[in-house]
Amino acid sequence: MKKHGNRNDDVRTMFTGMYGYGKEYQPARADLGGRVALITGTAGMIGFAAAKRLAQSGCAIAAWDLCEDSGEAKAREIADATGGNVVFYKVDVTDRQAITDAVARVIADFGKIDVLFCNAGGNWGNRKPVYEFDDELFRRNERVNLTGSVVWLCREVIPHMIRQGKGSIIITSSVCGVTGLRNQCGFVGSKFAVSALTRSMALEYARDNIRVNCIAPGSTPRPEDKLNPLWDTVDFENFEKNFSNPENLLYDIPIPRPAEPDDMAGLVQYFASDDAAYTTGQVVCVDGGWTAGFSGNY
Amino acid sequence: MIFTFTFDFGGRTALVTDADAATMRTLSLALSRSGTRVALFGRERAAETARELCASGGEAEAFDVDYRDDDAIGKTMDSVLARFGKIDLLFNGAYVVVPVDKRKRLHEFDMELYEEILAQYYHGLYRVTKAAVRDMAKRGEGAVVNIISIRGMVPVPGQTPAVAASAAAVGFTRMWGVELKETGVRVNAVAAGLAADEHASGDRQPLSHLAVPRATKPEDIAAAAMFLASDEASYITGTILPVDGGFQAGYARSF
C-alpha cells in the first residue's frame, strides 16, 4: 500500500494497490446473456459504467439519455468496446408521454425488459439553506429524480415485467438519500423518497418475481468537476489533501479516494443478476464508509 | 384530553398546518392552553377550532390555504405574519396516509392523487417551512416540528406518494436540523404510528402486532411534538422521534 499525502502523485495512481484503485480491474462477470437492460442517464458517469458492465455480461442495452450527442457517442463507444447490442434513445424523463412512447419503442425493438436501471437524475440547487433555496430548482429535483426517473418510468415498465414473470429494478439514490447533508434540500428530499420507494416497491412486487434494489453512491468529485458548485469546498489543486485535512468534508470518508463509476457498476451488475435472487428492497451505500459513522477521533 | 405535563409557551406564536386533522387539532388546543397564540392552516374544522380557542380566552385565527398553489402559500404566510407579527414555533402537519380504497400498487396508482399528495405534503412542507424559517432566522430563534408518518421510516406497499412524501420529510428534518445551525432554529420530527381507521376490514389486524397493541392517539403525538418544540429539547435537532407503539423498533410477531 502506498502512503498517501504526496502532492506530486497523480490522483489516479496515488492509491495504486489500495482498495482496488488505480490498478487494472478484474471485474466479476455475471452471465446475463440474452437479457435486455433499460438504463437511463447513460451519458453520465454511473449510467455509462453500468451500461458497459452489463453489455460485457451479455445484456442488450437500451440506453436512454436527455443529451443526444454524448448519449449517442457513449452508446457507440459501449457497442464498439463490447461488441454488444446497444441502442440509444433520446428521452426526457420529465415528459410522461415521452417515457410511454420510448418504453413502447424498446419493447418493439427488443421484445422485453429484464433489467431496469432508473439512474437519470441530478443535484440542482443554489447551495443555500431552506429559507433561501431556489424554488424552481427544488421542483426540478423532485420532477426528475423522483417522479420522472422512478415513478413514471417504473409504472410503464413494471406491467411488462409482470407479464414476463421476472424482473430486476435498480434505482440510483445517494448518500443524501440516507443521511442529511446541508444546503441541498431539493436533492435530499427527492433521494430520501426514492430510497423509501425502493422498499415499498419491493414489497409490492415480490410476488411477481420482481426485485427492487437501490445504490447510494458517495462522493464522486474528480478534477474535471472543478467548476461544479457542489464541490466548492474541494481543493482540486492538492486533491489528496482533501482526505487528510480535517477541515474538509472529504476527510470524513474512511476510504480516502473519490468513488469510481465502476464501484457502482459492480453492484448494479450484482443486483441485475440471479446471484441477487433473494435480495430485494435494499439500499446499499457505495461511499467508502462515509455514512457508516463519523471517522474523526471523537 | 388530559395531559399530565404542562409547557409554558407564553407569548409565543405557533403555526399549525393541516389543522383539519384530528392530531393537529388536539395539538392546537394543547398549545393554546400553554399560552401560545395559534395560527391554523385548514378549512372548516380549523376555523371551528380557532373559534373554540378564542371563546376559551386564547388567541387564534384560521387561514384557508391551497397547498397546490405556491403563490397562495406565500401570500397566506404573509397574512399570518401580518396578523401575529412573528412565528416562533412551526408544527407542520405532514402526516399523510392513502385511504384504504385508494391503495394500489405503483403501476396502478391514481396519478392525480399522487400529484395532490406531493403538492401538499412534499412541496407544501417545503414552502411553508421556507417562509416560516425565514422569519425565525431573522430573529435567531425558533423551532420546527414535522408531524410525519412512520411510513417514511418503515415503507409499506400500496401508498407510493405517502411513502415518498413521508421519507422526504425524514430527509428534510435531518438536513434542516443541521443546516440551520447559524440561525438558532431547531428542526425535529415526530413519526406517528398507525391510526385506528387506517386498516382495511378483514386485514390481518396490524395493530395486534405492535408492542403496544393499540392505535396511535392524537394526544400521543401532540405530547411528543410539544416536548420537541419546547426549551427542554434545546439540545435536540435533526431527530425523528417515532411515537408508534414500537412499530419501527422491530418485528413484533411471534415465530
Side-chain angles (χ1 to χ4, degrees), chain B residues 95-113:
Chain B
Y95 183 92
V96 55
V97 56
V98 174
V100 174
D101 61 336
K102 300 273 173 127
R103 289 178 195 171
K104 290 269 173 3
R105 299 193 295 171
L106 174 64
H107 72 288
E108 295 159 338
F109 202 90
D110 173 1
M111 288 310 279
E112 271 176 40
L113 181 59

Side-chain angles (χ1 to χ4, degrees), chain A residues 146-223:
Chain A
L146 168 59
T147 299
S149 193
V150 176
V151 172
W152 284 344
L153 179 55
C154 287
R155 277 171 65 87
E156 292 296 334
V157 173
I158 282 169
H160 295 290
M161 289 182 167
I162 293 175
R163 189 168 42 78
Q164 293 157 204
K166 188 175 181 181
S168 174
I169 297 174
I170 302 137
I171 295 170
T172 300
S173 180
S174 163
V175 288
C176 291
V178 175
T179 193
L181 259 67
R182 294 157 61 93
N183 297 345
Q184 35 189 319
C185 70
F187 189 63
V188 168
S190 67
K191 290 301 188 182
F192 262 79
V194 299
S195 299
L197 287 189
T198 299
R199 297 163 66 188
S200 64
M201 284 166 62
L203 302 172
E204 290 176 0
Y205 297 108
R207 301 287 166 98
D208 287 306
N209 201 19
I210 299 172
R211 296 179 292 105
V212 187
N213 291 289
C214 180
I215 65 168
S219 116
T220 54
R222 54 204 58 246

Side-chain angles (χ1 to χ4, degrees), chain A residues 129-130 133 135 139 142-143 147 152 155 178-179 181-183 185 190 192 196 200 203-205 208, chain B residues 70 105-107 109 111 114-115 122-123 126-127 130 153 155-156 158 167 172 174-176 178-179 182:
Chain A
V130 58
F133 204 84
D135 293 339
R139 184 167 290 279
E142 178 267 302
R143 284 288 104 177
T147 299
W152 284 344
R155 277 171 65 87
V178 175
T179 193
L181 259 67
R182 294 157 61 93
N183 297 345
C185 70
S190 67
F192 262 79
S200 64
L203 302 172
E204 290 176 0
Y205 297 108
D208 287 306
Chain B
D70 287 341
R105 299 193 295 171
L106 174 64
H107 72 288
F109 202 90
M111 288 310 279
Y114 172 91
E115 295 292 354
Y122 186 114
H123 293 282
Y126 160 73
R127 282 296 180 130
K130 180 178 178 176
M153 303 176 85
V156 294
F172 290 146
R174 292 178 60 173
M175 69 162 301
W176 289 341
V178 293
E179 89 176 1
E182 291 90 350

